[in-house]
Amino acid sequence: MLIKFKEKQAANNKAVLYLRYLDNGRYLPLLRVFDLEDTLLLEQDLPETNNLDAYGVIQLSGKKVTIKPRKNDLAQKLEPITFGL
């Protein structure tokens, strides 16, 4: 079951971050990027986690999507995740 966690709308694209809850109590995030006609441009599984601090702000442009970690002490050492479109 997919649960919408975050969504970012830009001029030409829309990025949606979904969560899938696993039997072991961890999350398996899924990133999907759509164009204006809801055509799927990118579908990417993200690393399995039990902490959602790595998934803060979604930045979306015409060429790439970046997911920046939340700004807190627990996510201080985490790096942004970037995918090209």
Side-chain angles (χ1 to χ4, degrees):
M1 174 172 66
L2 290 178
I3 300 170
K4 187 187 295 187
F5 179 59
K6 291 187 179 250
E7 181 175 342
K8 176 70 176 196
Q9 180 79 37
N12 297 325
N13 300 329
K14 175 174 70 170
V16 183
L17 185 60
Y18 295 98
L19 295 180
R20 294 172 285 187
Y21 190 68
L22 304 176
D23 291 337
N24 62 6
R26 296 175 60 89
Y27 296 102
L28 184 60
L30 174 68
L31 175 66
R32 288 183 177 166
V33 179
F34 302 93
D35 64 7
L36 294 177
E37 291 83 32
D38 283 336
T39 304
L40 185 63
L41 301 175
L42 174 73
E43 182 174 62
Q44 183 70 44
D45 285 320
L46 300 177
E48 185 177 316
T49 184
N50 61 351
N51 185 352
L52 297 175
D53 287 335
Y55 308 107
V57 177
I58 299 174
Q59 294 179 335
L60 185 61
S61 72
K63 296 182 181 180
K64 68 179 180 176
V65 59
T66 302
I67 303 171
K68 291 191 169 190
R70 293 181 180 171
K71 293 183 179 181
N72 62 27
D73 289 339
L74 298 175
Q76 194 172 23
K77 296 180 183 179
L78 297 175
E79 295 295 322
I81 302 170
T82 302
F83 298 102
L85 299 177

